[in-house]
């Protein structure tokens, strides 16, 4: 097993390990831009097991692995795999882990990545388990804050669906290592679950965007996670709430950065894209060097 073992929750990494990965990612940026190819994972194979839709996460893992000289095999459509014949996840993982050097898994059920790790001989990386965790997204989010703003004196608003967003659930844990001021901006029904507030001794409070827009230096937007709502009616009640456009940013600090794990639906108006605040596409790019750093540490 690699130095880091599996990567299931952001809690699996210490602050020093997080900072180490961010530093390493910096050195991979030229490779991520395709200027050259590193060979450090030559003859190594990664399996992407995605039981849920993905564009950025799956493709950036693929780009990262190939950028390091390795290769990738994918299992995406469940209808086309033996899962459709009733194969258990444990058996799928037992088999695939014999083909490859590491497994990336995304699944709609919370806890699945940990379960997969228990059945795998090779490192397992959680690429999102239901509303649970998404640790590699957190690493690229921290990388973005570090590059485009600063990890010191973070004043961040987490806005939108804080109940079901796994990117927020992961990020908030890691943020507390950096002494941030955190504002939670969401409809009542999508508030951050209490369990994430426990054990946070930092500065955290509920707010509306208007109250804090002139204070924050990071605005982290999220999509309302339609697929996680138990009923459609509940989704419809909040769909379309908590949006921003250029008018929402009138009193923003000049150095405010706006982040979003993407995909966005309608929560960030396109008029924001051309402002210097918009960093979400750059953030998506950073997924490649950050995942290169993760893979290079996890695969021997
Ligand atoms: C996020 C996810 O899957 O949790 N997307 C991503 O990985 N970039 C966010 C989302 O789907 O809204």
């Amino acid at each position: 097993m690699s130095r880091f073992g599996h990567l299931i929750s952001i809690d699996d990494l210490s602050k020093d390990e997080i900072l180490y990965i961010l530093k390493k990612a910096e050195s991979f940026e030229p490779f991520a831009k395709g200027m050259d190819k590193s060979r450090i994972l030559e003859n190594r194979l990664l399996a992407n097991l995605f039981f849920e839709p993905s564009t950025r996460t799956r493709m950036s893992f693929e780009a990262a692995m190939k950028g390091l000289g390795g290769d990738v095999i994918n299992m995406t459509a469940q209808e086309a795999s033996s899962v459709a014949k009733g194969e258990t996840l444990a058996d799928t993982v037992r088999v695939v882990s014999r083909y490859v050097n590491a497994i990336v898994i995304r699944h709609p059920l919370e806890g699945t990545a940990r379960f997969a790790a228990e059945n795998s001989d090779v490192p397992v990386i959680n690429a999102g388990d239901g509303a649970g965790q998404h640790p590699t997204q957190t690493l690229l989010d921290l990388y973005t804050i570090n590059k485009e703003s600063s990890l010191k004196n973070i004043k961040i608003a987490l806005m939108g669906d804080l109940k079901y967003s796994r990117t927020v659930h992961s990020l908030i844990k890691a943020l507390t290592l950096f002494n941030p001021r955190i504002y939670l901006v969401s409809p009542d029904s999508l508030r951050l679950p209490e369990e994430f507030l426990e054990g946070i001794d930092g500065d955290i409070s509920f707010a509306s965007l208007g109250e804090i827009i002139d204070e924050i230096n990071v605005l982290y937007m999220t999509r309302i996670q339609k697929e996680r709502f138990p009923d459609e009616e509940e989704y419809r009640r909040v769909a379309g709430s908590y949006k921003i456009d250029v008018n929402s940013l009138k009193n923003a600090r000049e150095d405010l950065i706006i982040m979003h794990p993407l995909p966005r639906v309608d929560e960030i108006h396109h008029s924001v894209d051309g402002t210097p605040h918009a960093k979400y596409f750059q953030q998506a790019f950073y997924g490649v060097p950050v995942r290169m750093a993760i893979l290079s540490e996890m695969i021997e």
Side-chain angles (χ1 to χ4, degrees):
M1 200 58 74
S2 73
R3 173 174 158 206
F4 288 134
H6 304 289
L7 180 52
I8 307 302
S9 165
I10 195 68
D11 293 334
D12 296 343
L13 301 175
S14 66
K15 183 176 178 181
D16 281 350
E17 285 170 335
I18 290 174
L19 292 174
Y20 175 79
I21 288 175
L22 302 194
K23 193 153 176 254
K24 191 144 192 194
E26 183 89 49
S27 69
F28 283 125
E29 259 202 52
F31 297 110
K33 289 197 174 108
M35 276 154 66
D36 204 344
K37 206 171 180 178
S38 162
R39 295 259 148 235
I40 62 170
L41 291 185
E42 199 161 23
N43 302 323
R44 296 289 185 276
L45 200 53
L46 177 73
N48 273 331
L49 300 187
F50 278 70
F51 297 87
E52 243 192 15
S54 172
T55 304
R56 274 150 294 276
T57 306
R58 192 177 58 76
M59 293 184 75
S60 64
F61 263 114
E62 188 150 351
M65 190 65 187
K66 290 182 172 168
L68 294 173
D71 214 338
V72 183
I73 53 174
N74 281 285
M75 197 200 76
T76 41
Q78 290 168 53
E79 315 80 65
S81 73
S82 282
V83 174
K85 298 184 191 167
E87 182 165 61
T88 63
L89 181 75
D91 279 359
T92 303
V93 170
R94 281 185 196 118
V95 171
V96 175
S97 75
R98 284 168 166 82
Y99 297 157
V100 297
N101 304 98
I103 292 175
V104 175
I105 184 165
R106 169 172 289 189
H107 199 282
L109 274 183
E110 219 170 308
T112 312
R114 196 166 299 285
F115 176 73
E118 283 160 13
N119 289 285
S120 171
D121 300 330
V122 296
V124 170
I125 301 173
N126 183 6
D129 61 327
Q133 285 273 307
H134 195 346
T136 66
Q137 179 71 41
T138 295
L139 290 165
L140 80 90
D141 291 343
L142 293 174
Y143 187 78
T144 306
I145 296 173
N146 193 35
K147 290 271 299 199
E148 305 293 336
S149 178
S150 167
L151 287 171
K152 293 195 186 87
N153 298 318
I154 310 174
K155 294 196 188 91
I156 185 169
L158 303 169
M159 175 158 156
D161 184 347
L162 308 185
K163 181 175 180 182
Y164 295 117
S165 283
R166 55 195 173 199
T167 64
V168 167
H169 300 166
S170 270
L171 180 61
I172 200 158
K173 288 190 172 197
L175 279 175
T176 52
L177 301 170
F178 297 92
N179 272 323
R181 177 87 192 82
I182 301 176
Y183 295 104
L184 304 172
V185 183
S186 74
D188 270 350
S189 62
L190 295 180
R191 278 190 175 207
L192 188 73
E194 283 293 323
E195 61 186 276
F196 293 99
L197 293 169
E198 284 157 20
I200 294 183
D201 42 38
D203 240 339
I204 185 159
S205 54
F206 299 95
S208 73
L209 187 64
E211 290 165 345
I212 51 158
I213 189 71
D214 55 351
E215 198 189 318
I216 51 173
N217 45 29
V218 183
L219 172 57
Y220 191 95
M221 298 288 297
T222 60
R223 174 179 68 88
I224 309 275
Q225 309 277 300
K226 184 178 181 196
E227 66 279 24
R228 314 233 182 272
F229 280 69
D231 85 87
E232 179 90 22
E233 186 47 41
E234 208 189 308
Y235 168 73
R236 247 183 271 120
R237 244 176 274 136
V238 283
S241 62
Y242 290 75
K243 298 180 187 178
I244 58 163
D245 60 18
V246 278
N247 290 321
S248 335
L249 304 173
K250 267 197 213 126
N251 298 322
R253 287 167 55 145
E254 217 174 290
D255 63 356
L256 169 74
I257 64 164
I258 301 173
M259 297 170 60
H260 191 308
L262 302 177
R264 71 169 150 187
V265 182
D266 56 1
E267 56 276 7
I268 303 179
H269 190 266
H270 293 272
S271 59
V272 177
D273 297 357
T275 70
H277 304 297
K279 298 295 177 197
Y280 27 93
F281 294 116
Q282 187 61 19
Q283 178 187 357
F285 161 71
Y286 290 143
V288 180
V290 169
R291 290 186 169 111
M292 281 177 144
I294 294 166
L295 291 171
S296 72
E297 284 303 315
M298 294 191 66
I299 300 178
E300 285 173 334

